[in-house]
Amino acid sequence: MPRGVLHEREGRTKFRLRTAAPSAALAGFVEYHWIVSWDLDEPFAQRVVPHPNVHLVFEPDGALVHGVHLGLFERRLVGRERAIGVRFHPGGFRPWLGGRVADLTDRTLAAGELFGFEGAEKAVLDAADDAGLVAEVEALLLPRLPAPDPAVERVRELVGRIQSDLSLTRVDHLARTSGLTVRALQRLFNDYVGVGPKWVIRRHRLHEAAARADAGGPVDWAALAAELGYSDQAHFTREFTATIGTSPARYAAG
């Protein structure tokens, strides 16, 4: 289960989530396709702590583009349905949008208006299997493939650096190691990712904390707070509680 899916052990009992790699032509823009299916008599609300990625989602109610959500994202599941999503790399949606990705932040838009599908997206979920779903989605995207943008790869590298190095906790440190000024880094992230580098750093720390809690077993919260670069455990607890909606200890207890 990808990081950010809260209480993932319970989620595994409610829905099936699969991923598929994009075709070579889309790989520079798209991280992966994801497919989720469920068969539930009673409604279930799955909460997710979003990543700095834009998603194009095809579901029974239509095709939607989700910008980066700053708070929790909640999806209510009921009945027997499925959906397929395209998770763009951080920065990977900028060439498709042709404008600042920050303009999509905390917004959900009809995909047909942005891509000009003209109703063709309605046939995607008629595919017989997962491979068919991916093929239908890519058949819509490939004719609309934008020109390569070198800045996308640069942004991917910077976000990847944040996500692979827990010691990177300050924007000025990222700026120094990237050769950019803090101001230039902030402009680049707002233009291509939709949020600033500070938000990406803070969100990655919360993903790490939630993953440790979901792993089961005791957690030394003071030590984890120090490892994640918080000034103290109280600061870490406040930020976790404000985002997740409950304290780290209560979340770990289920």
Side-chain angles (χ1 to χ4, degrees):
M1 196 78 72
R3 284 192 169 189
V5 177
L6 296 181
H7 298 295
E8 53 128 354
R9 281 171 289 180
E10 182 183 14
R12 290 179 187 278
T13 70
K14 303 295 185 180
F15 58 86
R16 290 183 59 234
L17 177 64
R18 295 87 71 197
T19 61
S23 62
L26 287 171
F29 306 99
V30 173
E31 189 171 344
Y32 57 77
H33 302 289
W34 53 264
I35 301 161
V36 62
S37 55
W38 60 93
D39 188 356
L40 299 170
D41 294 327
E42 298 294 329
F44 172 72
Q46 177 61 58
R47 296 189 305 157
V48 177
V49 184
H51 292 255
N53 304 76
V54 174
H55 292 255
L56 166 62
V57 182
F58 299 82
E59 52 184 298
D61 293 335
L64 301 170
V65 172
H66 296 273
V68 178
H69 283 262
L70 301 181
L72 289 184
F73 180 82
E74 183 171 295
R75 179 64 164 85
R76 183 176 178 273
L77 308 177
V78 68
R80 185 176 185 180
E81 301 286 359
R82 62 179 177 170
I84 179 170
V86 181
R87 172 164 154 151
F88 289 84
H89 289 295
F93 194 69
R94 174 63 170 79
W96 302 80
L97 183 63
R100 292 189 336 132
V101 180
D103 293 338
L104 290 179
T105 300
D106 260 345
R107 299 177 65 196
T108 298
L109 303 177
E113 297 177 13
L114 287 178
F115 286 93
F117 289 149
E118 298 179 353
E121 73 275 13
K122 295 177 182 178
V124 168
L125 295 182
D126 292 335
D129 53 22
D130 287 359
L133 287 170
V134 171
E136 289 287 344
V137 169
E138 295 213 343
L140 288 175
L141 293 180
L142 288 171
R144 298 168 171 83
L145 196 68
D149 182 344
V152 172
E153 182 61 32
R154 178 66 164 149
V155 170
R156 283 178 56 189
E157 187 272 329
L158 290 169
V159 174
R161 194 181 303 179
I162 292 170
Q163 295 174 337
S164 63
D165 184 0
L166 284 176
S167 69
L168 205 167
T169 61
R170 295 174 57 89
V171 175
D172 57 354
H173 181 201
L174 179 63
R176 285 196 303 272
T177 59
S178 66
L180 298 171
T181 65
V182 169
R183 186 73 175 269
L185 193 64
Q186 290 169 336
R187 286 198 301 266
L188 179 65
F189 270 62
N190 279 293
D191 192 12
Y192 276 79
V193 184
V195 290
K198 182 178 181 180
W199 186 95
V200 178
I201 291 170
R202 294 174 67 180
R203 181 51 52 93
H204 175 59
R205 293 192 297 183
L206 287 177
H207 283 145
E208 179 68 22
R212 300 280 185 95
D214 272 326
V219 179
D220 184 334
W221 298 112
L224 179 59
E227 181 184 349
L228 297 179
Y230 289 94
S231 57
D232 53 42
Q233 184 179 349
H235 182 197
F236 160 66
T237 299
R238 284 195 300 271
E239 186 166 311
F240 188 101
T241 303
T243 302
I244 308 298
T246 189
S247 70
R250 288 187 176 183
Y251 176 81

